Amino acid sequence: MSKMEIIHRLIEDIPVIIVSGKIDAVSSKDLGNALAGLIDENKRFLVVDMEKVEYLSSSGLRVLMASLNKLKNMDGDLLLAALQPFVKDVFSLTGANRFFSIYPNHDEAIKNIKK
Amino acid sequence: MANSLISDSLVLLQAVSVIIVAALLISRSRPFTEIIDGRPTAKSQLLLSIFFGAVSIYGSLIGINFLGAIISVRDLGPLVGGLACGPMVGLGAGLIGATFRLSEGGFTAPACSIAVSLAGIIGGLIYWKRGRFPGIIPSTVFAVLFELFHMLLTLAISRPFDMAMDVVAQASLPMVLANGAGMLIFAFIIVNVINERETMRERDRYQLELQIKKAELIVAADIQKSFLPGKIPSPEGFDIAATSIPAKEVGGDFYDFFKKDDNLQFVIADVSGKGVPAALFMALSRIIVRACSAPLRGGFERLRCANQMIVEESGSATSGMFVTLFLARLNLLDRSLNYANAGHNPPLLFRADSKSIERMDVTGVALGMMADMEYEQRQMILDPGDVLLLYTDGIVEAMNGKDELFGESRLRSSLAAAAGLSAQEILDSVLRDLGIFTGDMEQSDDITALVIKVERRCSNVV
């Protein structure tokens, strides 16, 4: 399996980024670019589906934090879905889970935007 | 007829060979490369003028009789000299060629002398206008056009006109072809040399840039090393060891000690990411944590203060940068340890009595993530023989060739196995176990660890 892959989908008009593999110091740049691209298109709500992410480094978390802060400034939000145990640990260890809305799957995340 | 064709062709081939050898020789010579590199000296221009003048004389002398027509490549030398080396060389070579042609005499001498001078001058002007050798095709086209012009010139000024007409009728096609072909050969070789020099220059420039960057990084690494405590404190009753190994020249991990009265404070921290961005953020965070640990601030207000300052001063909201940090204050008399953990990998405490390992869990979020965070303070009492191991995620997230992480449980086993040794030996042993696990995998993240061991003999202090 290659390091990290990103699939873009649009579900009910909400961009969903489906990430798989390892988000390390190198691949986190690609994730950052993908998120920044959508934010530049003025998408205010983004969902990152991390069901197939087995590893998240602090660089990866940095990229997610940066995007979250940008979106919150635009009255938007970055929603996370399907965190696996290792990734969940990174969020709870650093305390970053306090700032993100985290859902069991991306459908659930999208439902909560519609509300 | 067949015989004369073969012998004439052989003479022609010989001339072509001489031109190729001349082109190869001159293109590798120092005067020529000086001009290509844009550093023409008077001496090199003079030498090149003489060389291309000599090529012109050779072109006059060999005057190949090809199937009844005399083919001269006299104009070629000055043409190339002008096109490749500029007006001065063109003019010099042209005048040499012209002087020689005049000395030969004959009714076309004036026309041919003017032509060979003009060859050098016009070639030089083209170079001057372009600022460089014009390339293979333009040069060849120019040589062909120039030879046609040469023929017209001969018709215009050579008298008697009938004889001039005869010569031109016979010689024009072979002359055009021969000079065109000669130019093609020269141009091809010259362009090769120019490209080669260009590639070489680019490679040199790139290497120089790399060297400068490398040198800058080495300086940066030195500066960063000076941020780490030069000397590990050795308070009575405690044995302390520490190390920090960045994955690149500079890194985002740091540790710090400050001793005040009977208290030893220590910090271990890890900035998100690695390399230069992490190093800059590390420098800032370290200063802020130090500033916030000023004597007046009590308790763990200092983490709240540090977080606030990092959020306000570092632009961490935009960059998403954060630093996980563990801060502790150890009372050297009663061995009480107060700590707060801002999102850092929980340090491990090996208890000598029970041989069990306790974790010093997170008590607040990583610094720089969000303003107005609170950091809870907890306390533990250390006992003789206990070993405290602080580390960064470069250890537990180190991978082996099978994509497995070293992980906390391996680190625990490693700590437990070495706990009876001295602090430095425990540190070495843990890093050795890590090295065995990762094998020949490259270190991908900064690795920092701190070991504090309570010595057995201090058990009677309290």
Side-chain angles (χ1 to χ4, degrees), chain A residues 87-106:
Chain A
V87 176
K88 205 177 261 175
D89 281 351
V90 173
F91 275 90
S92 56
L93 180 67
T94 55
N97 54 350
R98 292 206 208 171
F99 314 120
F100 287 94
S101 317
I102 300 171
Y103 299 92
N105 54 57
H106 65 243

Side-chain angles (χ1 to χ4, degrees), chain A residues 1 22 25-26 29 54-59 61-63 65-70 72-73 86 90 92-99, chain B residues 270-274 316-322 324 342-346 362-366 369-370 373-374 393 397 399 403 405:
Chain A
M1 163 151 206
K22 294 192 175 72
V26 180
K29 289 192 183 90
E54 56 201 75
Y55 175 77
L56 173 74
S57 72
S58 63
S59 311
L61 181 54
R62 183 189 74 72
V63 162
M65 283 297 301
S67 301
L68 174 75
N69 290 338
K70 248 186 254 171
K72 286 210 163 149
N73 281 339
F86 183 88
V90 173
S92 56
L93 180 67
T94 55
N97 54 350
R98 292 206 208 171
F99 314 120
Chain B
D270 180 0
V271 169
S272 55
K274 54 186 177 180
S316 62
T318 324
S319 65
M321 293 286 268
F322 58 88
T324 70
H344 193 79
N345 290 83
V362 165
T363 64
V365 304
M369 277 190 171
M370 198 70 66
M373 291 288 120
E374 299 294 337
D393 60 9
E397 292 180 21
M399 261 179 224
D403 259 16
L405 300 175

Side-chain angles (χ1 to χ4, degrees), chain B residues 120-290:
Chain B
I121 294 168
I122 299 174
L125 289 178
I126 291 176
Y127 172 93
W128 182 65
K129 190 112 199 298
R130 284 254 186 147
R132 60 183 169 82
F133 183 70
I136 297 175
I137 292 170
S139 301
T140 308
V141 169
F142 172 64
V144 166
L145 291 177
F146 187 85
E147 281 315 294
L148 292 174
F149 165 75
H150 183 165
M151 295 302 125
L152 291 177
L153 194 69
T154 307
L155 288 179
I157 58 177
S158 299
R159 293 294 174 267
F161 182 76
D162 292 351
M163 274 173 75
M165 194 64 202
D166 270 356
V167 170
V168 168
Q170 254 196 339
S172 56
L173 185 64
M175 288 272 282
V176 164
L177 290 179
N179 282 285
M183 178 57 85
L184 194 65
I185 293 166
F186 253 110
F188 185 75
I189 290 169
I190 289 170
V191 164
N192 260 345
V193 171
I194 290 175
N195 289 344
E196 220 171 79
R197 304 284 299 178
E198 183 59 32
T199 317
M200 228 161 70
R201 261 204 305 277
E202 232 161 67
R203 194 198 54 202
D204 288 352
R205 206 163 38 229
Y206 182 66
Q207 265 175 357
L208 186 70
E209 241 170 64
L210 267 185
Q211 269 170 10
I212 292 172
K213 280 208 180 118
K214 190 89 186 162
E216 284 177 347
L217 273 180
I218 288 171
V219 175
D222 282 344
I223 294 173
Q224 195 175 38
K225 268 188 210 111
S226 74
F227 290 165
L228 295 176
K231 209 172 135 259
I232 311 289
S234 49
E236 180 145 4
F238 295 90
D239 182 16
I240 303 178
T243 189
S244 187
I245 314 159
K248 300 182 178 175
E249 282 82 354
V250 292
D253 284 3
F254 68 97
Y255 62 87
D256 208 353
F257 292 100
F258 7 84
K259 189 166 176 294
K260 191 172 177 295
D261 304 329
D262 292 325
N263 289 309
L264 177 71
Q265 294 187 44
F266 51 92
V267 166
I268 187 165
D270 180 0
V271 169
S272 55
K274 54 186 177 180
V276 173
L280 288 172
F281 203 81
M282 168 265 187
L284 178 87
S285 309
R286 178 183 167 275
I287 294 297
I288 287 180
V289 172
R290 277 234 161 188

Side-chain angles (χ1 to χ4, degrees), chain B residues 42-168:
Chain B
K43 188 182 155 205
S44 59
Q45 287 187 329
L46 181 69
L47 286 172
L48 288 167
S49 298
I50 293 170
F51 171 81
F52 285 111
V55 172
S56 174
I57 291 172
Y58 171 78
S60 290
L61 278 177
I62 93 163
I64 310 152
N65 189 329
F66 190 73
L67 304 181
I70 308 288
I71 305 171
S72 146
V73 285
R74 183 189 313 113
D75 297 343
L76 186 60
L79 276 175
V80 176
L83 284 174
C85 308
M88 297 311 288
V89 174
L91 179 68
L95 289 180
I96 292 170
T99 311
F100 183 80
R101 180 64 190 91
L102 271 180
S103 73
E104 281 185 315
F107 82 104
T108 56
C112 287
S113 302
I114 293 172
V116 72
S117 308
L118 284 177
I121 294 168
I122 299 174
L125 289 178
I126 291 176
Y127 172 93
W128 182 65
K129 190 112 199 298
R130 284 254 186 147
R132 60 183 169 82
F133 183 70
I136 297 175
I137 292 170
S139 301
T140 308
V141 169
F142 172 64
V144 166
L145 291 177
F146 187 85
E147 281 315 294
L148 292 174
F149 165 75
H150 183 165
M151 295 302 125
L152 291 177
L153 194 69
T154 307
L155 288 179
I157 58 177
S158 299
R159 293 294 174 267
F161 182 76
D162 292 351
M163 274 173 75
M165 194 64 202
D166 270 356
V167 170
V168 168

Side-chain angles (χ1 to χ4, degrees), chain B residues 307-383:
Chain B
N307 179 55
Q308 211 68 12
M309 266 177 103
I310 290 173
V311 170
E312 283 163 17
E313 304 297 329
S314 74
S316 62
T318 324
S319 65
M321 293 286 268
F322 58 88
V323 49
T324 70
L325 183 140
F326 178 90
L327 171 69
R329 190 181 63 238
L330 173 64
N331 184 309
L332 298 171
L333 297 179
D334 65 9
R335 298 191 309 265
S336 63
L337 181 89
N338 286 284
Y339 72 89
N341 184 347
H344 193 79
N345 290 83
L348 302 177
L349 176 62
F350 175 85
R351 293 293 198 183
D353 271 357
S354 59
K355 312 278 182 237
S356 62
I357 289 177
E358 294 168 24
R359 284 172 113 216
M360 297 180 155
D361 281 323
V362 165
T363 64
V365 304
L367 305 180
M369 277 190 171
M370 198 70 66
D372 303 318
M373 291 288 120
E374 299 294 337
Y375 296 89
E376 188 198 330
Q377 176 179 341
R378 289 186 195 158
Q379 195 184 56
M380 281 181 162
I381 306 290
L382 304 189
D383 294 316

